[in-house]
Each structure stands twice: as C-alpha cells, then as structure tokens.
Amino acid sequence: MKTKTVVVIGAGIGGIVAATHLARHGIKVTVVEKNPHAGGRCDRMSRDGHHFDTGPTLLVMPLLYEAEFNALGASMHERLDLQRVDPTYHLVFDDGRQLALTSDMKCMQEQLEAFEMGSFQGLLRYMDEGHRHYHLGIEKLVNRDFRKATEFFALKNVPLIGQLKPLVNHYGNMSNYFDDPRLKAAFTFQDVYMGLSPFEAPATFSMMPYTELAHGVYYPRGGMYRIVEVLMDLAREAGVEFIFDSTVEKIDVNSTRTRGILVNGRKIEADAVLANADLPYVYKNLLPDQDLAEPLSRKRFSCSVISFFWGMDKTYETLAPHTLFLAEDYRENFDRIIRDLGLPENPCLYIHAPARLDPAMAPHGQDTLIAIVPVGHMSGNGEQDWAKLRDEARQQVFRRLSTLGINDLESHIKFETTFTPLSWRKRYNLMKGSTHGLCHNLMQLGYFRPSNRHPRYRNLYFTGASTHPGTGMPTAMVSGRLSAQRILDDF
C-alpha cells in the first residue's frame, strides 16, 4: 500500500508534535517553515554570549508536559535538565509591598496574613477550587477533541457549569477568598497567559495559580528553547523532514479537498495538509474563501506585548528570576489594553533575569534581562504609534526598576532588541500582532473554538494557539497530538 503523506505548514510546537506523532505511525511527513529554525513564538535569540527566550520564559503545567512527552515515547525528565523555580514570582505592588509566591505554605501563611488577616485560609480554599478546576479542565476540556456539537452539549457535561464556573468572572470570584485587591491581583494575573483580562476571564482559570503552586514552575537548563530542540530531536528520530527558509504562498484546493501547497513557486503534493501557522492568517492569506476568513477576523483576539531584550555589562544579582510589577489601578490596566488597545499609564510589567537560574545565559560578570509590557493588539485603523508606545514602555520599565533601587540600568545596556506587535506580525504571521492568537473568552473555548479540521476541505487540518485547546506550550503539544489523531482517524 502506498505510504500516506502529510505536509505541515509551520514548525511551531504544535506542528513539530503533530508531525512526530504522524511519522511514528508510518506517515511520510514534511514540515515547511518560513523562518531559519523551528519553534515559532517559542524562539531564541543570541548575541555576544547573551541568550534570550523570546516567547515563554518558564515551564508551567509540568504534569501536562510530562504526559505529552510520554505520548511521544520520551521521558521529559530524561530529555530536559529541569530545575524548580521557587519562589515562582516576586510580586511588587505600587505601595512598595512585596509578595513571593512559593509552594512553602508556612512562608505563604506569614506573608498573606501580613496583607490580610484570615487570607491564608482563603488561599487554601482557592487552592481546593483550583485543584478541581485543573483536574476537571484537563480531563473534560483540554484533552478532549470536540468534533461534534453533541460531544460538547451533552447531558453528562451539564454539571461542569457548576464545577468549573465558566460563567463566573475570575476576578469577581476572588471576593470569595480575599478582600485585599492586591491579593486578588496576585492570583489572577496569570490570565494574561491566555491573552485575557481577569475581569472577563472565566473563573475556570484558577487552575493556573493552582498548578504553579501545587505542581511547581520549572526552568530547563539552556532556556525554554531547549524544549524546542528536544522536540526537534524526537521529530527527526521519527523520520520527519524539515524545510526551512521557505514561505508557503498558498494551499492548493479544489471544491472539497486540498491537494498540497505552493512554496516558492513549487508545488508539494500531499494526502493531507496540516497548518500550524496562525489560524486567522491561514484563512485570510493561504486560502481563497474570504467568506470564511472574514468571520474569523472579527473574533476576539488576545492582547500583545512590547518586549525588550537587553545585554547588560554588569550583573543585577538582587533581581529575582521572575519579577512582576502589579499596578494599583489593576482594572484600568486591562481596560486600557483590551478596550482601548493601548498602553496603560501605569502598566503592570514583567522582568525576567534568566542568568539567576542558568549562568550560561549571560557572559561572566554580565547580565541578560528581558522586560515584557502587555499592550493592546494592532487596531484596524493603524493609528497606533508603536515607536512612541515602545519608548513609553521602556521608560516605565526603568521607573519600575528604580523602586527596587536599580537606578543605573539604562547606562549599562550594551545592546537592545525590541519586539512590538508589528514585530510579532512580521516574524510569526500573527494577525494583529496578537501574541496568543484568538483570546480565550467563554465563546472561544471548547467546542466554540475553531475546529482542527476545515469545514469545507476535509483533508485540511489545523494545530496551534487559535485552535482547540488554545495557547501555551503544553497546550500546543496537546493540540498537535489531537490534530495528528484526527488525521490518523480520517486516513
């Protein structure tokens, strides 16, 4: 029997994982990537001995990673040199108070009770809810591939409305556990991982703070890009072929099927096509059906970020691996980002110092720093001045760090690389520069999220952030596995 062939567009996490699963089942898989190396948004830059992860900077949901590596026939712990990060974050509030999020419950109790009497018991109850949300969410939502409406809208799923609180606002739900707004912020900021405001995110996402404290946050020696390198090793061991520096011009289709892709004027034929490029981009730029692309472009997109990558000529040992500044005007922050598509006047922001975890990420006696400032995605009218917003964001980072006694940062920057929403769009074909693809509000979760198979072209499939189950590295691995299984079932 003739060997089946699949061509994958994009060597992001979902594409690599799907390709590996397919190749392990005897299918001939070719992955075509426009950039010179794999990883997609989970990218890496190096310059003068400084190494930067441009995407995720910490490994969360380790149990999900472990399960997905096992599904690929590999051990995560054998393939990656992982170290636990604890405290996970050092939170800094506008009033100067700080909170170190740690799995040391005695330490957490001492810290929380100093903010609000009785709040530690609130945390324990919140963790109980997070435990339920995590385990039910992974089993009933994340690991499920909703191919039919009846699989989602089933009587057996009705209890999930009460168990997972999808109709309850996450930030509002925090009133059941804490009164202090700083503590409410401390356990909801993780919603930004989904490109969402905690004021509109489902309370289901309490699963994120829970998994960080209960299961731990880790950092692979060599940075997060090591995960990409390991996945590439597994893919090549399975026989996957990769073609880099090659831009897909279009997906070749007839009325009901795809016949392959067009790359640099050359046609690559295949029995099925799997697109790992950003889903809205695929519909708009690689397919002829604007009647399907237009509704997709009107869906809710996630926010974006302005990122600064700095090579420093000195070390900042007092700076923790993960420092997060949370603004007092927390709601205004998200309104400005989500509603106004701008930069808040007093933005929440995040600083990553990878050399605190792996000294090889910077030359001896120097430092590597990453600053990430959430902003709105690109507007339809193109009126945002990203150069101005970038400069404002940079000054906000300097101002925030000065509150920690770091006043000389600007004078010790050897070089700077910046990413704005324009950069995310150009580098990774992310529509509107949205770093997390389509957002994860209630009407874009589960069955409501775009399917991993095209409704018209029955052998065209999708994987990645804007398909089910959603954004993030471990969920991208799940997405790749689910898409591969669907292809195998259809074959």
Short mmCIF file of all heavy atoms in Angstrom, two decimals, residues 155-191:
data_model
loop_
_atom_site.label_atom_id
_atom_site.label_comp_id
_atom_site.label_asym_id
_atom_site.label_seq_id
_atom_site.Cartn_x
_atom_site.Cartn_y
_atom_site.Cartn_z
N LEU A 155 -25.63 15.91 28.06
CA LEU A 155 -26.18 15.97 29.41
C LEU A 155 -25.12 15.71 30.47
O LEU A 155 -25.12 16.33 31.54
CB LEU A 155 -27.32 14.96 29.56
CG LEU A 155 -28.69 15.37 28.98
CD1 LEU A 155 -29.67 14.22 29.12
CD2 LEU A 155 -29.22 16.61 29.71
N LYS A 156 -24.18 14.83 30.17
CA LYS A 156 -23.15 14.50 31.16
C LYS A 156 -22.22 15.68 31.43
O LYS A 156 -21.50 15.68 32.45
CB LYS A 156 -22.34 13.30 30.69
CG LYS A 156 -21.55 13.53 29.42
CD LYS A 156 -20.78 12.28 29.01
CE LYS A 156 -19.98 12.54 27.72
NZ LYS A 156 -19.22 11.33 27.30
N ASN A 157 -22.22 16.68 30.54
CA ASN A 157 -21.35 17.85 30.74
C ASN A 157 -22.03 18.97 31.51
O ASN A 157 -21.37 19.93 31.91
CB ASN A 157 -20.88 18.39 29.38
CG ASN A 157 -19.87 17.47 28.72
OD1 ASN A 157 -19.23 16.66 29.40
ND2 ASN A 157 -19.73 17.58 27.41
N VAL A 158 -23.34 18.86 31.73
CA VAL A 158 -24.07 19.93 32.43
C VAL A 158 -23.49 20.23 33.81
O VAL A 158 -23.35 21.40 34.19
CB VAL A 158 -25.58 19.59 32.51
CG1 VAL A 158 -26.30 20.58 33.42
CG2 VAL A 158 -26.19 19.59 31.12
N PRO A 159 -23.11 19.22 34.61
CA PRO A 159 -22.55 19.52 35.93
C PRO A 159 -21.28 20.37 35.88
O PRO A 159 -20.93 21.03 36.87
CB PRO A 159 -22.25 18.13 36.51
CG PRO A 159 -23.19 17.21 35.81
CD PRO A 159 -23.30 17.76 34.42
N LEU A 160 -20.59 20.38 34.73
CA LEU A 160 -19.36 21.16 34.62
C LEU A 160 -19.62 22.66 34.78
O LEU A 160 -18.72 23.41 35.16
CB LEU A 160 -18.68 20.90 33.27
CG LEU A 160 -18.16 19.48 33.03
CD1 LEU A 160 -17.56 19.37 31.63
CD2 LEU A 160 -17.13 19.10 34.08
N ILE A 161 -20.85 23.10 34.50
CA ILE A 161 -21.17 24.53 34.63
C ILE A 161 -20.99 24.97 36.08
O ILE A 161 -20.48 26.05 36.37
CB ILE A 161 -22.61 24.82 34.14
CG1 ILE A 161 -22.71 24.51 32.64
CG2 ILE A 161 -23.00 26.26 34.43
CD1 ILE A 161 -24.12 24.62 32.09
N GLY A 162 -21.39 24.10 37.01
CA GLY A 162 -21.19 24.41 38.42
C GLY A 162 -19.81 24.08 38.91
O GLY A 162 -19.24 24.77 39.75
N GLN A 163 -19.24 23.02 38.35
CA GLN A 163 -17.94 22.55 38.84
C GLN A 163 -16.77 23.41 38.36
O GLN A 163 -15.78 23.60 39.07
CB GLN A 163 -17.73 21.10 38.39
CG GLN A 163 -18.71 20.11 39.02
CD GLN A 163 -18.69 18.77 38.31
OE1 GLN A 163 -18.26 18.64 37.17
NE2 GLN A 163 -19.18 17.75 39.01
N LEU A 164 -16.86 23.95 37.12
CA LEU A 164 -15.75 24.71 36.54
C LEU A 164 -15.98 26.22 36.53
O LEU A 164 -15.08 26.97 36.17
CB LEU A 164 -15.49 24.23 35.10
CG LEU A 164 -14.87 22.84 34.97
CD1 LEU A 164 -14.81 22.41 33.51
CD2 LEU A 164 -13.46 22.83 35.56
N LYS A 165 -17.18 26.65 36.89
CA LYS A 165 -17.52 28.08 36.96
C LYS A 165 -17.19 28.85 35.66
O LYS A 165 -16.60 29.92 35.71
CB LYS A 165 -16.81 28.75 38.13
CG LYS A 165 -17.27 28.27 39.50
CD LYS A 165 -16.65 29.14 40.59
CE LYS A 165 -17.19 28.78 41.97
NZ LYS A 165 -16.59 29.62 43.03
N PRO A 166 -17.54 28.33 34.50
CA PRO A 166 -17.22 29.04 33.26
C PRO A 166 -18.01 30.33 33.08
O PRO A 166 -17.60 31.21 32.31
CB PRO A 166 -17.58 28.03 32.17
CG PRO A 166 -18.65 27.19 32.79
CD PRO A 166 -18.27 27.07 34.23
N LEU A 167 -19.14 30.45 33.79
CA LEU A 167 -19.98 31.65 33.65
C LEU A 167 -19.66 32.70 34.70
O LEU A 167 -20.28 33.76 34.72
CB LEU A 167 -21.46 31.25 33.74
CG LEU A 167 -21.93 30.17 32.75
CD1 LEU A 167 -23.39 29.84 32.97
CD2 LEU A 167 -21.69 30.61 31.31
N VAL A 168 -18.70 32.40 35.58
CA VAL A 168 -18.35 33.32 36.67
C VAL A 168 -17.07 34.05 36.31
O VAL A 168 -16.10 33.45 35.84
CB VAL A 168 -18.17 32.55 37.99
CG1 VAL A 168 -17.78 33.49 39.12
CG2 VAL A 168 -19.44 31.79 38.34
N ASN A 169 -17.05 35.36 36.53
CA ASN A 169 -15.87 36.19 36.27
C ASN A 169 -14.75 35.84 37.26
O ASN A 169 -14.99 35.75 38.46
CB ASN A 169 -16.30 37.66 36.39
CG ASN A 169 -15.16 38.62 36.40
OD1 ASN A 169 -14.53 38.80 37.43
ND2 ASN A 169 -14.90 39.22 35.27
N HIS A 170 -13.53 35.66 36.76
CA HIS A 170 -12.43 35.23 37.62
C HIS A 170 -12.13 36.24 38.73
O HIS A 170 -12.02 35.87 39.90
CB HIS A 170 -11.17 34.96 36.78
CG HIS A 170 -10.10 34.22 37.52
ND1 HIS A 170 -8.84 34.04 37.02
CD2 HIS A 170 -10.09 33.63 38.75
CE1 HIS A 170 -8.10 33.35 37.88
NE2 HIS A 170 -8.84 33.10 38.94
N TYR A 171 -11.97 37.50 38.36
CA TYR A 171 -11.63 38.50 39.38
C TYR A 171 -12.77 38.63 40.38
O TYR A 171 -12.54 38.71 41.59
CB TYR A 171 -11.32 39.86 38.75
CG TYR A 171 -10.76 40.85 39.75
CD1 TYR A 171 -9.40 40.89 40.01
CD2 TYR A 171 -11.59 41.73 40.44
CE1 TYR A 171 -8.87 41.79 40.93
CE2 TYR A 171 -11.08 42.62 41.36
CZ TYR A 171 -9.72 42.64 41.61
OH TYR A 171 -9.20 43.52 42.53
N GLY A 172 -14.01 38.65 39.89
CA GLY A 172 -15.16 38.73 40.80
C GLY A 172 -15.22 37.55 41.73
O GLY A 172 -15.58 37.68 42.91
N ASN A 173 -14.83 36.38 41.24
CA ASN A 173 -14.84 35.17 42.05
C ASN A 173 -13.86 35.25 43.21
O ASN A 173 -14.02 34.58 44.23
CB ASN A 173 -14.51 33.97 41.16
CG ASN A 173 -14.66 32.64 41.86
OD1 ASN A 173 -15.71 32.34 42.43
ND2 ASN A 173 -13.60 31.84 41.84
N MET A 174 -12.83 36.11 43.07
CA MET A 174 -11.82 36.22 44.12
C MET A 174 -12.38 36.77 45.41
O MET A 174 -11.79 36.59 46.49
CB MET A 174 -10.66 37.10 43.64
CG MET A 174 -9.93 36.56 42.42
SD MET A 174 -9.36 34.86 42.61
CE MET A 174 -8.15 35.07 43.90
N SER A 175 -13.52 37.46 45.35
CA SER A 175 -14.14 38.00 46.57
C SER A 175 -14.56 36.89 47.52
O SER A 175 -14.79 37.14 48.71
CB SER A 175 -15.36 38.86 46.21
OG SER A 175 -14.95 39.99 45.46
N ASN A 176 -14.67 35.68 47.02
CA ASN A 176 -14.99 34.54 47.88
C ASN A 176 -13.80 34.13 48.75
O ASN A 176 -13.96 33.34 49.69
CB ASN A 176 -15.43 33.33 47.04
CG ASN A 176 -16.74 33.57 46.33
OD1 ASN A 176 -17.67 34.12 46.91
ND2 ASN A 176 -16.82 33.16 45.07
N TYR A 177 -12.61 34.67 48.42
CA TYR A 177 -11.40 34.21 49.09
C TYR A 177 -10.58 35.33 49.73
O TYR A 177 -9.94 35.11 50.75
CB TYR A 177 -10.52 33.44 48.08
CG TYR A 177 -11.28 32.35 47.39
CD1 TYR A 177 -11.75 32.51 46.08
CD2 TYR A 177 -11.58 31.16 48.05
CE1 TYR A 177 -12.48 31.51 45.45
CE2 TYR A 177 -12.32 30.16 47.44
CZ TYR A 177 -12.76 30.34 46.14
OH TYR A 177 -13.50 29.35 45.53
N PHE A 178 -10.58 36.51 49.10
CA PHE A 178 -9.77 37.63 49.61
C PHE A 178 -10.56 38.93 49.52
O PHE A 178 -11.40 39.09 48.62
CB PHE A 178 -8.49 37.81 48.79
CG PHE A 178 -7.67 36.56 48.63
CD1 PHE A 178 -7.55 35.93 47.39
CD2 PHE A 178 -7.00 36.01 49.71
CE1 PHE A 178 -6.80 34.79 47.24
CE2 PHE A 178 -6.24 34.85 49.57
CZ PHE A 178 -6.14 34.24 48.33
N ASP A 179 -10.26 39.86 50.44
CA ASP A 179 -10.80 41.21 50.35
C ASP A 179 -9.77 42.18 49.78
O ASP A 179 -10.12 43.12 49.07
CB ASP A 179 -11.24 41.71 51.74
CG ASP A 179 -12.44 40.95 52.27
OD1 ASP A 179 -13.30 40.57 51.44
OD2 ASP A 179 -12.53 40.73 53.49
N ASP A 180 -8.50 41.94 50.08
CA ASP A 180 -7.43 42.85 49.66
C ASP A 180 -7.26 42.79 48.14
O ASP A 180 -6.99 41.71 47.59
CB ASP A 180 -6.12 42.46 50.35
CG ASP A 180 -5.05 43.53 50.23
OD1 ASP A 180 -4.80 43.98 49.09
OD2 ASP A 180 -4.46 43.90 51.26
N PRO A 181 -7.39 43.92 47.44
CA PRO A 181 -7.26 43.90 45.97
C PRO A 181 -5.88 43.46 45.50
O PRO A 181 -5.75 42.93 44.40
CB PRO A 181 -7.55 45.35 45.56
CG PRO A 181 -7.38 46.17 46.80
CD PRO A 181 -7.73 45.27 47.94
N ARG A 182 -4.86 43.65 46.34
CA ARG A 182 -3.52 43.19 45.95
C ARG A 182 -3.48 41.66 45.86
O ARG A 182 -2.83 41.10 44.97
CB ARG A 182 -2.48 43.71 46.93
CG ARG A 182 -2.29 45.22 46.89
CD ARG A 182 -1.47 45.72 48.06
NE ARG A 182 -2.15 45.45 49.33
CZ ARG A 182 -1.70 45.87 50.52
NH1 ARG A 182 -0.59 46.59 50.58
NH2 ARG A 182 -2.37 45.58 51.62
N LEU A 183 -4.16 41.00 46.79
CA LEU A 183 -4.18 39.54 46.76
C LEU A 183 -5.05 39.03 45.61
O LEU A 183 -4.74 37.99 45.00
CB LEU A 183 -4.67 38.99 48.10
CG LEU A 183 -3.79 39.33 49.31
CD1 LEU A 183 -4.31 38.63 50.56
CD2 LEU A 183 -2.34 38.97 49.05
N LYS A 184 -6.11 39.74 45.32
CA LYS A 184 -6.94 39.35 44.16
C LYS A 184 -6.11 39.42 42.88
O LYS A 184 -6.20 38.55 42.00
CB LYS A 184 -8.16 40.26 44.05
CG LYS A 184 -9.16 40.10 45.18
CD LYS A 184 -10.33 41.06 45.00
CE LYS A 184 -11.33 40.95 46.15
NZ LYS A 184 -12.47 41.89 45.98
N ALA A 185 -5.28 40.46 42.78
CA ALA A 185 -4.42 40.60 41.60
C ALA A 185 -3.35 39.52 41.58
O ALA A 185 -3.02 38.97 40.52
CB ALA A 185 -3.77 41.98 41.59
N ALA A 186 -2.82 39.17 42.76
CA ALA A 186 -1.72 38.20 42.84
C ALA A 186 -2.11 36.83 42.33
O ALA A 186 -1.24 36.06 41.89
CB ALA A 186 -1.25 38.10 44.29
N PHE A 187 -3.41 36.51 42.37
CA PHE A 187 -3.84 35.17 41.95
C PHE A 187 -4.74 35.20 40.72
O PHE A 187 -5.43 34.22 40.44
CB PHE A 187 -4.52 34.46 43.13
CG PHE A 187 -3.60 34.23 44.29
CD1 PHE A 187 -3.64 35.04 45.41
CD2 PHE A 187 -2.64 33.22 44.24
CE1 PHE A 187 -2.77 34.85 46.47
CE2 PHE A 187 -1.75 33.02 45.29
CZ PHE A 187 -1.82 33.83 46.41
N THR A 188 -4.70 36.31 39.97
CA THR A 188 -5.44 36.37 38.70
C THR A 188 -4.59 36.87 37.54
O THR A 188 -5.02 36.77 36.39
CB THR A 188 -6.69 37.27 38.81
OG1 THR A 188 -6.28 38.59 39.21
CG2 THR A 188 -7.70 36.72 39.81
N PHE A 189 -3.38 37.41 37.81
CA PHE A 189 -2.58 37.96 36.72
C PHE A 189 -2.22 36.90 35.70
O PHE A 189 -1.92 37.21 34.53
CB PHE A 189 -1.32 38.64 37.26
CG PHE A 189 -0.26 37.69 37.77
CD1 PHE A 189 0.63 37.09 36.89
CD2 PHE A 189 -0.16 37.39 39.12
CE1 PHE A 189 1.60 36.20 37.35
CE2 PHE A 189 0.81 36.52 39.59
CZ PHE A 189 1.69 35.91 38.70
N GLN A 190 -2.25 35.61 36.10
CA GLN A 190 -1.90 34.53 35.17
C GLN A 190 -2.84 34.46 33.98
O GLN A 190 -2.53 33.81 32.97
CB GLN A 190 -1.90 33.18 35.91
CG GLN A 190 -0.82 33.06 36.98
CD GLN A 190 -1.28 33.57 38.34
OE1 GLN A 190 -2.27 34.28 38.45
NE2 GLN A 190 -0.55 33.21 39.39
N ASP A 191 -4.00 35.14 34.05
CA ASP A 191 -4.93 35.15 32.91
C ASP A 191 -4.30 35.78 31.68
O ASP A 191 -4.74 35.53 30.55
CB ASP A 191 -6.22 35.89 33.27
CG ASP A 191 -7.02 35.17 34.36
OD1 ASP A 191 -6.76 33.97 34.59
OD2 ASP A 191 -7.89 35.80 34.97
#
